[in-house]
Amino acid sequence: MNVVTVVEVPQWRGSGAPTAERLKKGARLLADMVGAGQRVRVAVEDDLVTTAARVRTALEEASEDFVVTTGGDCGVELEPVAAARRRYGDRLVVVWFDAHGDLNTPASSPSGAYHGMVLRALTGDGPVGLVAGDPLTPRQIVLAGVRDLDAAEESFIKTAGIRHAPRPDATALIEAIELCGTERPHEIPSGTAPPHEVPSGTAPPHEVPSETAPPHDADQPTPQRQATTARDTRTGTTASRRLTAGGGGSVVYVHIDFDVLDPEIFTSVGSPAPGGWRPEELLSLVRAVGERFDVMGLGLMEYEPARKEDQELLSSLVTDLVAACGHA
């Protein structure tokens, strides 16, 4: 198993929240919770472009490790995801666990805050100096738990065909990731519905029939899940993950903004949105992804320490999330 390296990036200037300076402490506390074998702290500047360059250097030095990046605002994710794209190309799928789409542009953003533009910048459209040089294609993105979108973001998701799993449903999320890996933009016939839509009368990819298990039971074994999680007693990895790691299957970068959680349970974020997920639901879905795919990177973002109860919740959740990605 690769060494786990944590790259701590206490960037807060990309956030539009009035309490954003708390992100500096949040990045440090998250890095403490990871318990990595190696730790790198990136010195941040008010200039986001300078900070991004420093993050890129830190990632290059840890290129052979499993990297957990702790922020800081979501703008920190530009370089970790861009590095994954350079390394894995079209095999990469980015799963974006977040209350927000982060798909605005400088022209469409109501706040002008970069943390609400970073995923769009990763597709090649963003502020000068803060755009991926090798952009993601929209088919490489799966939104998970996103529920607070601006009108321009909704329009982009629809026209670009970005898949969206709004509920904590492991089966639907795995299906969405698998579909990303089977599709290329030029393979979509002219006149068909975009990938996130299906013809009327059928269930869209992110929905399952009502008789299936409820979202919070998504981690219960099913015949399909049992088949994909058979353990190799020599390595401790799943059979399916061995296949994707060494072959042509999809690899996944997992982004987690802790505002994906329900603010009635977890309040230490700058941009809360009602109707979020429970911590055990988030963990269940990350575990399902880690069992099925090779997870090559993890980003933990937007923790603004405000309550002791939230820190206690994260102290166990972060450890479990790293383990769920296949890196204890």
Side-chain angles (χ1 to χ4, degrees):
M1 182 177 291
N2 289 342
V3 172
V4 176
T5 293
V6 62
V7 176
E8 174 192 342
V9 189
Q11 173 178 295
W12 63 277
R13 291 290 190 183
S15 171
T19 52
E21 285 197 66
R22 293 177 181 173
L23 292 169
K24 295 186 289 185
K25 181 179 180 180
R28 175 176 59 80
L29 291 174
L30 288 171
D32 290 343
M33 295 170 191
V34 172
Q38 299 184 47
R39 180 167 174 173
V40 178
R41 186 180 189 276
V42 175
V44 303
E45 300 288 345
D46 290 347
D47 176 21
L48 300 184
V49 176
T50 299
T51 299
R54 292 176 179 175
V55 174
R56 183 165 58 251
T57 298
L59 293 169
E60 289 170 351
E61 294 173 354
S63 62
E64 299 304 315
D65 302 341
F66 178 77
V67 176
V68 180
T69 307
T70 66
D73 63 70
C74 286
V76 169
E77 291 281 44
L78 174 67
E79 291 300 335
V81 177
R85 167 65 173 165
R86 289 192 296 271
R87 183 170 185 177
Y88 295 100
D90 286 346
R91 293 179 59 200
L92 179 69
V93 177
V94 177
V95 180
W96 202 259
F97 291 99
D98 204 309
H100 308 91
D102 299 344
L103 288 165
N104 272 304
T105 65
S108 70
S109 172
S111 67
Y114 182 65
H115 73 162
M117 307 181 204
V118 62
L119 187 54
R120 184 67 171 269
L122 282 161
T123 70
D125 190 0
V128 175
L130 292 170
V131 178
D134 184 7
L136 295 172
T137 62
R139 68 165 189 83
Q140 292 180 276
I141 298 169
V142 177
L143 303 177
V146 172
R147 57 192 183 274
D148 187 5
L149 292 164
D150 296 316
E153 293 178 302
E154 291 181 340
S155 176
F156 180 71
I157 290 167
K158 182 176 180 179
T159 58
I162 294 176
R163 289 186 170 84
H164 182 198
R167 293 185 294 279
D169 181 331
T171 301
L173 179 59
I174 295 302
E175 178 184 351
I177 297 170
E178 289 175 337
L179 288 171
C180 288
T182 62
E183 199 171 72
R184 297 294 183 271
H186 65 273
E187 294 173 349
I188 303 173
S190 176
T192 60
H196 68 291
E197 296 181 358
V198 294
S200 176
T202 61
H206 60 271
E207 295 187 0
V208 292
S210 59
E211 63 266 26
T212 58
H216 63 274
D217 291 334
D219 56 348
Q220 297 301 313
T222 65
Q224 180 183 10
R225 290 281 308 284
Q226 289 171 339
T228 62
T229 60
R231 291 281 172 179
D232 183 320
T233 57
R234 295 171 299 161
T235 65
T237 59
T238 64
S240 60
R241 289 184 68 243
R242 290 199 310 276
L243 289 172
T244 58
S250 295
V251 297
V252 175
Y253 183 93
V254 173
H255 157 85
I256 298 173
D257 179 333
F258 286 105
D259 67 15
V260 74
L261 299 176
D262 194 317
E264 293 188 2
I265 299 173
F266 184 85
T267 66
S268 294
V269 294
S271 304
W277 294 359
R278 300 192 301 271
E280 60 269 26
E281 291 173 327
L282 172 63
L283 177 60
S284 176
L285 265 67
V286 174
R287 183 177 290 128
V289 172
E291 288 173 347
R292 177 62 184 85
F293 303 97
D294 182 35
V295 178
M296 50 64 55
L298 172 65
L300 304 174
M301 303 290 144
E302 299 276 355
Y303 170 41
E304 295 191 5
R307 293 197 313 169
K308 179 181 179 182
E309 298 93 326
D310 292 338
Q311 185 171 337
E312 291 172 347
L313 184 157
L314 285 185
S315 64
S316 59
L317 179 60
V318 166
T319 301
D320 290 342
L321 288 169
V322 175
C325 291
H327 302 269

